[in-house]
Amino acid sequence: MSHAPRALLSVSDKTGLVDFARALAEAGFEVISTGGSAKAIAAAGVAVTDVASITGFPEIMAGRVKTLHPTVHGGILGRRGTDEATMAEHAIRPIDIVAVNLYPFEQTIARGDASFADAIENIDIGGPAMIRAAAKNHAAVTVVVDPNDYERVAATLTSGGPGAELRAELAARAFRHTAFYDTVISQYLLDHNGAMPDGTALTIAAREVMTLRYGENPHQSARLYRDPGVQTGTLAASELLQGKPLSYNNLADADAALECVRQFETPACVIVKHANPCGVATAPSVLAAYEAAYRTDPTSAFGGIIAFNSELDAATAETIIDRQFVEVLLAPSVDAAARQVLAKRTNLRLLQTGDLTQRRDAAFEIKKISGGLLVQDRDDGVIDAPDLRVVTERKPSADELRDLLFAWKVVKYVKSNAIVFCRENATLGIGAGQMSRVYSTRIAAIKAADESLTLTGSVLASDAFFPFRDGLDAAAEHGIRAVIQPGGSKRDNEVITAANEHGLAMVMTGMRHFRH
C-alpha cells in the first residue's frame, strides 16, 4: 500500500517554517512536527501531524524526550530497497525530508545572565540524532538544517524532489552543523571548568564574521571568525562605529593593544605598531594617559593602533587626530561628542569593545604550524608585590616598586627578547624582537634618547632572565634604579652581583613572559 511522502519539521529557529510547511503540504507531503513547531504550522492553517501520534508516546521530561523513538529513526534510517520488510513488520513508514535546527545553545551562553543550568537545558539531544540519521541516509532522505535552504528544496518538489547531488551537499552541511554544535558545547564545558583540551583530540568551533580585504599581504586571502558565546570585551565581538573594514594586520595589532590595555585598572593608553607596544601609560585621565604613551615613541605611533581601557572623550579624540595619523582607535565606549570629533576622519576605524572586564573567551590559545597546531593556556599569569623576591642588597622604594609592577604588565605584551624602561607609570623606551637581550636593551635606550627622554631614575623590565651580566651592565649605564626579571639563569649570581655593583634594586618574579 503506497503512502504520501512525509516530512518531519522540528526547529528552534522558526524562520521560514510556515512557508516551507505549506510548500510541502501543497506538494502532497504529510507534514509531521513537534511542540512549538507544530503549533506554529497549525496556526497558519497548514495540516500537521503531531509526532506523538506517530510514535504513540507523548513528549516527556519537559520535552527532553519526544523524537527518540524507533518509529521516527526507523523512518529516517530505513534503506529503500533493503529495509522495507523490517519497516512493514514494525509499522514504520519512511520519512523523506527532515528539517531540523537545534536548541539555541550558542545564543544561550552568549547571554550575560545565562546560568550553567540554562546552558545544560539548551543542549539538544533528539535534534542532532535526527540530523545525523537523515544525513547518513542521504541516498534517500533530504536533511535541511539552514532555513536559507528551504526555498532550494521547495523548488524541487514539483519535479521529483531534491536530486542526489543536492542531498549529498545538504548532508555534508548537516554533519558540519552538528560538529559545530557539539564543539561549542565541548568548549563551553572546558572553559566552565577552566580546563585545557585533553590529549586525544582537539575540535574548534568559530563563526565567520567577515571576509577581510586580504591577509598579511595582498596575495593572501583571509577571514575573521568569532568564538561562540563571545559577546563583549573582545576584538572579534567589537562594534565598528566608523571607518573602513579592518584588515588582517589591523586586527592583529588591535588585539595586541587591547590585551595589553586590559591589564590596567586606572585609565590607560596603549599605542601599538606591528604587534608591539610603542607607548604605554596610565594616568588620572585618558587624555593624560595618551599624552604620556605618545611621548615614548611619536615616530612609531604614526599609523599605529591606539587602545584605551576607559571611555574615549572628545578632548582626547581631538588631541589625537590633530596630532597624528592613526589607523584604529578602540575603547570600551566612545561618548557622543568624541564620535562627532572623529567623524571628521572618515577613514579612521573606530571600535567600541564593551566592558573589558566582562570578557568571556577561550582559556587556551592556538597557533598554526606546518602540519599541526600548537595549543597552550592563555598567559593569564599575574604578579603582585607579595610575589616578588628581592635579591639585591638594596630594596626598591615604593615608587620604584610601583613602576616595576607597571613595567612587568607591559613587557608581557612585547615580542621577545623584550626590554622595557618605565618611570612614573609610563614607558620611556621599548626594545622588542631582537635575537640578543643586549641589543633589545640598546634599542630601547636609543629610542628614549631619540625622543629626549632621560632614563635616569627609571626601572627596567625583562621578559626573561639575563643569561649574562652584559645586558644588565648595558642598562645600568643609563641611570636606571631598579630591575624586574624572572630569574632562573645559571648565572643569576653574576647578574645579582652586577646589580649590587651598580647600586640597583632587583626583584625576581619566578615567571617568564615570552611572546613569539
Side-chain angles (χ1 to χ4, degrees):
M1 181 177 178
S2 63
H3 296 281
R6 300 199 300 171
L8 195 160
L9 313 183
S10 180
V11 296
S12 174
D13 178 1
K14 295 178 176 53
T15 303
L17 171 67
V18 170
D19 288 341
F20 188 45
R22 183 174 287 112
L24 289 164
E26 290 174 352
F29 278 76
E30 178 188 359
V31 176
I32 306 165
S33 193
T34 62
S37 298
K39 290 177 182 177
I41 294 168
V46 178
V48 60
T49 302
D50 191 276
V51 74
S53 67
I54 301 296
T55 62
F57 204 91
E59 293 185 16
I60 60 172
M61 301 176 183
R64 279 191 168 199
V65 179
K66 51 192 172 186
T67 59
L68 297 169
H69 193 279
T71 303
V72 172
H73 286 275
I76 297 172
L77 282 166
R79 291 164 293 185
R80 285 33 166 189
T82 301
D83 294 323
E84 275 86 353
T86 300
M87 295 173 75
E89 179 184 353
H90 297 285
I92 296 172
R93 286 180 50 198
I95 295 173
D96 306 283
I97 293 178
V98 173
V100 174
N101 53 60
L102 307 174
Y103 291 173
F105 182 86
E106 186 180 356
Q107 293 85 343
T108 298
I109 63 173
R111 291 193 344 248
D113 61 347
S115 67
F116 183 71
D118 291 334
I120 296 301
E121 282 308 309
N122 276 279
I123 296 176
D124 202 325
I125 302 301
M130 289 189 290
I131 290 171
R132 290 174 59 81
K136 176 175 181 175
N137 201 25
H138 68 271
V141 179
T142 303
V143 59
V144 191
V145 296
D146 185 346
N148 291 321
D149 289 322
Y150 291 162
E151 190 173 338
R152 294 176 67 196
V153 173
T156 70
L157 297 178
T158 57
S159 56
E165 186 175 344
L166 178 56
R167 292 197 306 273
E169 177 196 335
L170 293 174
R173 294 176 66 180
F175 278 118
R176 183 171 62 183
H177 184 68
T178 56
F180 180 92
Y181 191 79
D182 286 342
T183 300
V184 173
I185 296 168
S186 173
Q187 286 183 194
Y188 173 79
L189 293 176
L190 285 171
D191 292 344
H192 181 76
N193 294 313
M196 277 275 286
D198 62 30
T200 56
L202 172 67
T203 56
I204 302 169
R207 286 203 181 277
E208 183 176 335
V209 176
M210 69 176 77
T211 298
L212 306 178
R213 288 182 296 158
Y214 51 81
E216 285 185 288
N217 300 290
H219 63 277
Q220 296 171 270
S221 61
R223 290 178 174 84
L224 170 64
Y225 290 83
R226 184 172 71 188
D227 291 338
V230 170
Q231 188 175 32
T232 187
T234 65
L235 188 63
S238 61
E239 179 184 3
L240 182 63
L241 299 180
Q242 73 165 57
K244 298 181 293 185
L246 284 87
S247 70
Y248 182 98
N249 293 331
N250 288 155
L251 288 163
D253 288 348
D255 189 58
L258 180 64
E259 291 307 297
C260 185
V261 83
R262 191 196 300 280
Q263 305 306 305
F264 303 100
E265 295 179 2
T266 55
C269 174
V270 174
I271 306 175
V272 162
K273 192 69 170 290
H274 297 305
N276 272 306
C278 58
V280 182
T282 62
S285 69
V286 292
L287 177 55
Y290 164 69
E291 294 279 14
Y294 180 81
R295 279 196 298 271
T296 304
D297 192 349
T299 302
S300 297
F302 180 86
I305 310 291
I306 303 177
F308 297 96
N309 66 349
S310 303
E311 185 170 73
L312 179 59
D313 57 56
T316 307
E318 191 81 61
T319 301
I320 292 170
I321 63 172
D322 285 349
R323 173 180 288 164
Q324 69 167 106
F325 167 59
V326 57
E327 285 272 8
V328 181
L329 270 175
L330 60 120
S333 58
V334 183
D335 72 24
R339 292 193 194 190
Q340 280 192 321
V341 169
L342 296 172
K344 303 173 189 175
R345 300 288 186 267
T346 56
N347 286 336
L348 185 153
R349 287 100 161 171
L350 179 61
L351 284 173
Q352 183 168 267
T353 65
D355 187 354
L356 298 185
T357 66
Q358 298 301 312
R359 176 180 68 174
R360 285 178 292 148
D361 203 355
F364 55 92
E365 298 173 338
I366 299 170
K367 182 176 182 179
K368 183 74 177 74
I369 61 170
S370 175
L373 299 171
L374 293 173
V375 182
Q376 66 173 355
D377 287 335
R378 191 172 57 216
D379 185 358
D380 287 332
V382 175
I383 293 294
D384 292 317
D387 304 310
L388 300 176
R389 182 166 63 97
V390 179
V391 295
T392 49
E393 295 167 359
R394 189 174 77 80
K395 294 181 179 181
S397 68
D399 287 347
E400 289 167 353
L401 183 59
R402 175 203 64 203
D403 285 341
L404 287 169
L405 291 171
F406 172 85
W408 187 247
K409 288 180 179 179
V410 175
V411 80
K412 176 179 176 180
Y413 294 95
V414 178
K415 295 294 183 72
S416 302
N417 285 317
I419 294 290
V420 177
F421 291 105
C422 298
R423 186 176 58 242
E424 296 177 354
N425 288 329
T427 52
L428 300 172
I430 298 174
Q434 300 304 303
M435 289 67 75
S436 162
R437 199 159 296 277
V438 175
Y439 276 98
S440 288
T441 304
R442 290 174 180 168
I443 288 170
I446 289 169
K447 285 186 172 184
D450 284 350
E451 305 303 336
S452 301
L453 298 173
T454 178
L455 297 179
T456 302
S458 67
V459 306
L460 176 149
S462 173
D463 65 336
F465 62 65
F466 288 95
F468 305 98
R469 65 172 288 166
D470 53 0
L472 195 68
D473 290 332
E477 294 174 3
H478 301 284
I480 67 168
R481 297 296 296 149
V483 176
I484 185 169
Q485 59 124 329
S489 167
K490 292 181 179 179
R491 294 182 172 84
D492 273 351
N493 287 337
E494 294 178 21
V495 176
I496 293 169
T497 298
N500 285 327
E501 289 175 1
H502 293 296
L504 305 179
M506 180 184 287
V507 297
M508 291 185 175
T509 65
M511 178 184 293
R512 188 180 73 185
H513 279 315
F514 269 163
R515 185 175 177 87
H516 286 97

